[in-house]
Amino acid sequence: MSNHWFLTGASSGIGRHLAELILAAGDDLTATARKPESLDDLAAKYPSQLRVEALDVTVKDDIAAVVARAQARRPVDILVNNAGGGVIGATEEMSDAEVEGQIALNLMAPIHITRAFVPAMRLRGSGRIIQISSASGKGSLPTSSLYHVAKWGLEGFSECLHQELEPFNLFVTLIEPGGARTSFSHNLQFASEIAAYRDTPAGHIRKMFETAGNELYTLDPQKIAQAIVDVATSDHPPLRVTLGGDAFGVVQAALQSRLAFLQSQEALARSVAFDS
């Protein structure tokens, strides 16, 4: 029996590859994009399987109606929160609008969309929720503080949700890819530069992103999309899937560093309890 997928950010990058794989497999897809015309070719090729919805995921008031139309068409089996984007700059360089925009796009949107689907999935007793996180949900890099805030927040939200929903046969999976060769890198925005940061780690990282070519992005988005499909359609999806050697290295180093630091503080941690 075919699945009905709901996919945000379907117009390009990993989302576009996912859409193509889902439709080629014969599944139904409700795909959202800020520019729905970008999916006209797929709509013409798969008229009975694909429904395209115009949606800016940061506009909370528009989410409920789009979700309701998708559910009325057919109950959604697999939700993929894929829409996202980045702003590069030292924290001080970012405007209030850039700060709020990063949180709205990369954290609040997937939270609101997930919450909109959970009740029906829980009542039906089945469902898959796929959150496109990042290696940035574990590691950190100067110039990306608000992106990290959002992805670290998405990791915590999804880990808790996984524990809440597993008794209902609902599975939440975080996908943590590294640098994929997609339009994401070309669509990066840059905060207004403050000269004082130019010769600091933040300035050097900013310059790297400004001048980087494809050599910085080594992962094949088609392969990432196929891995996501395989995970989403498995009987018991894992909580986390890290994709890419670069992502594996970042996550491994971050976890090892934190564990070593924690272990070095064990005596202090235990010293603040009441004397027995």
Side-chain angles (χ1 to χ4, degrees), residues 6-251:
F6 187 97
L7 169 65
T8 68
S11 62
S12 63
I14 293 171
R16 171 70 186 216
H17 288 290
L18 266 173
E20 292 172 353
L21 288 172
I22 291 164
L23 294 166
D27 284 353
D28 291 330
L29 172 63
T30 298
T32 78
R34 284 181 294 178
K35 297 179 179 179
E37 64 275 10
S38 61
L39 294 167
D40 282 353
D41 60 324
L42 290 182
K45 186 176 181 180
Y46 300 98
S48 64
Q49 293 172 243
L50 175 61
R51 178 171 295 173
V52 180
E53 292 274 3
L55 179 65
D56 179 341
V57 296
T58 66
V59 182
K60 179 188 173 186
D61 292 345
D62 292 347
I63 292 172
V66 172
V67 170
R69 286 194 292 271
Q71 295 279 44
R73 175 191 180 196
R74 178 185 167 189
V76 169
D77 303 290
I78 303 171
L79 162 64
V80 184
N81 279 307
N82 170 70
V87 177
I88 297 297
T91 304
E92 185 184 356
E93 293 174 329
M94 293 193 185
S95 67
D96 289 349
E98 287 167 335
V99 168
E100 292 164 8
Q102 283 287 276
I103 301 299
L105 175 59
N106 296 310
L107 178 58
M108 297 310 300
I111 288 175
H112 292 316
I113 292 169
T114 298
R115 281 170 43 82
F117 279 105
V118 162
M121 287 183 170
R122 175 180 54 77
L123 289 171
R124 205 166 66 248
S126 66
R128 304 287 187 268
I129 298 169
I130 308 298
Q131 313 281 34
I132 306 302
S133 180
S134 168
S136 296
K138 286 290 194 298
S140 61
L141 194 68
T143 71
S144 300
S145 61
L146 271 299
Y147 190 74
H148 290 304
V149 166
K151 293 303 185 183
W152 285 41
L154 183 62
E155 294 262 339
F157 168 75
S158 300
E159 184 165 325
C160 290
L161 192 67
H162 175 82
Q163 297 173 68
E164 294 169 359
L165 297 182
E166 193 171 20
F168 303 104
N169 196 38
L170 273 66
F171 297 96
V172 181
T173 298
L174 287 151
I175 305 294
E176 300 171 337
R181 206 166 287 178
T182 70
S183 59
F184 182 94
S185 58
H186 301 298
N187 293 332
L188 282 175
Q189 300 175 31
F190 292 86
S192 296
E193 187 178 23
I194 295 174
Y197 284 98
R198 284 180 187 162
D199 196 26
T200 70
H204 298 157
I205 295 295
R206 179 193 181 107
K207 189 68 173 177
M208 179 190 73
F209 278 113
E210 287 176 335
T211 59
N214 282 340
E215 71 279 357
L216 190 63
Y217 305 96
T218 60
L219 306 186
D220 183 342
Q222 176 87 21
K223 291 181 179 179
I224 292 175
Q226 184 61 63
I228 293 169
V229 170
D230 293 343
V231 168
T233 55
S234 64
D235 290 337
H236 199 295
L239 173 59
R240 286 184 172 86
V241 176
T242 302
L243 296 175
D246 57 345
F248 185 88
V250 167
V251 173

